[in-house]
Amino acid sequence: MRSNPLALICAVVPFLQACLAAPTVDLGQIVIASHSTNASDIRAALKKSSIIPDVLDDFTPSVSLHLSYPPSHSDVSLGNRLSPSDVKASPFFSISPLSLFLTPSRTLKPDTTYTLALTDPDATSRSDPNKGEMCHWIATNITSESSTAETRDVVFTPSFDELMPYIPPSPPPKTGYHRYVFVLLAPSSSTEASPNAVRTTGLGLKKPKDRPHWGYGKVGKGVRDWAEDNDLVVVGANFFYTENEKQ
């Protein structure tokens, strides 16, 4: 009996939709997620907010970065507005490929070590960023254990090291909205297309000398410079806005 190709397609599509809609499983601070986001939408949002080029050079995201703040479960969603009271504790986070069929031979390889940074380019205000960029957080040694062939999900160890402890975003009064930018970084060697690219663990990153200007002592210096000095490349980003209640 010959199979019906149309019937096969109709059977597969609901399965794929179910995979993409799979719930998030909590593993403590880091979670497993099955999300899908359009790379062009992420890039467009970063450009519209001038994060590209103020904070990052132009790049094509290879992963989607998902963050949610406890206990309110306030999500970071490419430029949404959150209150300072929502972001007092460090967020839960996960990453996932931007396509269900993304080959994990590049940034989503098993044993790739990731770094997540949070930076404020608008300290003390967007019109006068005399302390920008301000380093708010660096979490590193985030390591993927596996990537399944069916879903391309990335499974993380439920721990990481804080190179710079989390400081909650708290813009000064009467300084308007600040952009708070999460940047996901990977070793440049792990983003090479070659199947023989070196697997990196325990990055041994250099801690910034200070939080204002990421220790470089010059307005506008920040995560871009620090990443370059530590041989890291940007693979994903997300951001939100917040302001002091007194305006």
Side-chain angles (χ1 to χ4, degrees):
M1 179 181 296
R2 296 179 63 183
S3 60
N4 186 335
L6 181 58
L8 178 61
I9 293 172
C10 291
V12 170
V13 169
F15 171 76
L16 295 178
Q17 291 175 333
C19 288
L20 291 173
T24 297
V25 181
D26 192 340
L27 282 181
Q29 185 84 14
I30 306 174
V31 297
I32 307 167
S34 293
H35 298 281
S36 180
T37 307
N38 190 295
S40 62
D41 289 344
I42 297 173
R43 190 161 165 259
L46 295 172
K47 286 188 171 185
K48 184 177 180 180
S49 63
S50 297
I51 290 169
I52 295 174
D54 291 356
V55 179
L56 304 173
D57 293 332
D58 196 2
F59 76 105
T60 299
S62 58
V63 296
S64 184
L65 174 60
H66 311 275
L67 305 108
S68 182
Y69 274 99
S72 63
H73 304 291
S74 299
D75 292 338
V76 177
S77 184
L78 292 175
N80 60 323
R81 296 180 179 183
L82 300 176
S83 70
S85 61
D86 290 330
V87 296
K88 290 183 177 179
S90 57
F92 295 90
F93 60 90
S94 67
I95 69 170
S96 58
L98 289 172
S99 168
L100 182 66
F101 303 104
L102 180 67
T103 301
S105 60
R106 292 173 67 86
T107 55
L108 295 181
K109 291 188 313 175
D111 298 330
T112 296
T113 301
Y114 297 92
T115 297
L116 179 63
L118 174 60
T119 190
D120 173 12
D122 304 324
T124 53
S125 70
R126 190 162 181 176
S127 60
D128 183 22
N130 55 70
K131 291 186 179 179
E133 295 172 23
M134 179 71 72
C135 176
H136 278 262
W137 193 33
I138 303 177
T140 190
N141 292 335
I142 304 163
T143 312
S144 60
E145 292 180 336
S146 65
S147 178
T148 66
E150 292 81 7
T151 66
R152 306 300 188 203
D153 283 344
V154 179
V155 181
F156 293 102
T157 57
S159 65
F160 57 83
D161 297 325
E162 284 192 321
L163 189 63
M164 295 290 276
Y166 181 83
I167 291 184
S170 54
K174 299 182 179 181
T175 59
Y177 278 100
H178 289 223
R179 297 166 294 174
Y180 287 90
V181 187
F182 289 96
V183 183
L184 186 68
L185 303 158
S188 59
S189 60
S190 71
T191 62
E192 295 176 359
S194 169
N196 298 319
V198 176
R199 296 192 302 180
T200 306
T201 56
L203 296 177
L205 304 176
K206 295 179 182 178
K207 184 177 180 179
K209 295 179 181 179
D210 204 354
R211 290 183 184 269
H213 318 302
W214 282 64
Y216 290 98
K218 186 178 179 180
V219 172
K221 292 289 187 179
V223 64
R224 173 169 36 203
D225 306 275
W226 182 81
E228 183 178 353
D229 287 347
N230 285 276
D231 197 27
L232 302 174
V233 295
V234 181
V235 296
N238 205 337
F239 69 102
F240 66 92
Y241 291 92
T242 194
E243 67 174 354
N244 193 289
E245 294 180 356
K246 297 180 181 179
Q247 294 297 325

